[in-house]
Amino acid sequence: QAVLTQPPSVSGTPGQRVTISCSGSSSNIGDNYVFWYQQFPGTAPKLLIYRSDRRPSGVPDRFSGSTSGTSASLAISGLRSEDEADYYCAAWDDSLSGFWVFGGGTKLTVL
Amino acid sequence: QVTLRESGPALVEPKETLTLTCTFSGFLLSTSGVSVSWIRQPPGKALEWLARFDWDDETFYSPSLKTRLTISKDTSKSQVVLRMTKMDPVDTGTYYCVRTNDLDAFDVWGQGTMVTVAS
């Protein structure tokens, strides 16, 4: 049971804008940065968004992140077929001694 | 170039102890803000963070697995080792070794190593 809640799946057509939500609590998203990772089948995840809204070099500006309270969102604009992948959100949780938490992952299908 | 590579047994029997080694290059674990984590992923399921070894030798563990995990480093070999006791079939999955940079991001991932728990 993942600590952060994501929709299991989202879909869109090429060119569309889709968003993936990530819901947490005051001890994680409400108090810390959110990170997003993209994973293709059979490969290791790749960093997509760091510190809630920043893109590493090489990540297209079609990808953007935002947060509001205890929730975060990943937006993908100008959807492309190669964006079809699994997406995970993550955040540090301050409770207990501190630990990382992930969302359950969202499968993006490009129709 | 920063790289991490996981190594360890592909098959572990139930109740046994799993030992995984992460051999890294291209960075120093003693650099401020840097850490190495272990993250696993059961087949078809979500990522799960297990443990972290920090640049200042501080360690952190998943609360749900804390009693079974030990993370340590071998500085001379640029390695981080994860031990997980009392392995169970539900522990089957791909185990990743991952670097965290000074921006707290899991920025470089190993290719992962698949571990199956079965008798």
Side-chain angles (χ1 to χ4, degrees):
Chain A
Q1 195 87 354
V3 173
L4 304 180
T5 301
Q6 297 180 235
S9 64
V10 298
S11 63
T13 57
Q16 269 190 332
R17 181 179 185 272
V18 298
T19 62
I20 298 173
S21 61
C22 175
S23 178
S25 67
S26 58
S27 62
N28 42 66
I29 294 179
D31 201 37
N32 294 294
Y33 292 117
V34 177
F35 299 79
W36 290 91
Y37 298 89
Q38 177 189 56
Q39 185 181 34
F40 296 105
T43 68
K46 167 194 164 186
L47 177 64
L48 200 61
I49 297 289
Y50 69 98
R51 293 201 167 182
S52 301
D53 59 7
R54 304 183 189 182
R55 284 184 308 277
S57 61
V59 173
D61 59 6
R62 302 186 296 106
F63 295 89
S64 62
S66 63
T67 59
S68 178
T70 59
S71 294
S73 291
L74 172 70
I76 309 172
S77 60
L79 199 60
R80 305 175 69 160
S81 58
E82 56 260 42
D83 298 332
E84 186 163 293
D86 293 324
Y87 293 84
Y88 294 91
C89 58
W92 183 255
D93 194 298
D94 291 325
S95 63
L96 303 174
S97 300
F99 56 103
W100 280 99
V101 292
F102 279 94
T106 298
K107 169 68 177 178
L108 169 63
T109 301
V110 181
L111 302 170
Chain B
Q1 182 188 6
V2 173
T3 63
L4 303 98
R5 185 182 76 252
E6 307 88 350
S7 58
L11 180 65
V12 177
E13 293 196 357
K15 301 182 183 180
E16 294 290 301
T17 295
L18 169 69
T19 299
L20 293 174
T21 299
C22 172
T23 303
F24 58 86
S25 64
F27 69 96
L28 295 175
L29 190 46
S30 57
T31 300
S32 178
V34 172
S35 64
V36 171
S37 283
W38 285 94
I39 295 170
R40 71 177 180 181
Q41 185 172 37
K45 296 189 178 181
L47 300 168
E48 179 184 18
W49 177 81
L50 301 177
R52 185 179 101 187
F53 196 102
D54 283 5
W55 65 280
D56 57 358
D57 293 347
E58 193 165 8
T59 58
F60 297 86
Y61 294 97
S62 165
S64 62
L65 294 168
K66 180 174 181 144
T67 60
R68 299 173 53 203
L69 297 173
T70 303
I71 191 169
S72 61
K73 77 170 182 180
D74 184 331
T75 304
S76 64
K77 297 179 181 179
S78 294
Q79 293 178 333
V80 172
V81 177
L82 180 75
R83 293 181 69 251
M84 179 180 290
T85 62
K86 303 175 184 176
M87 293 294 285
D88 183 272
V90 299
D91 296 315
T92 293
T94 298
Y95 286 71
Y96 294 101
C97 172
V98 191
R99 185 186 79 161
T100 303
N101 61 17
D102 57 356
L103 298 176
D104 300 322
F106 296 122
D107 67 334
V108 184
W109 295 64
Q111 64 182 17
T113 186
M114 179 65 192
V115 178
T116 301
V117 184
S119 53

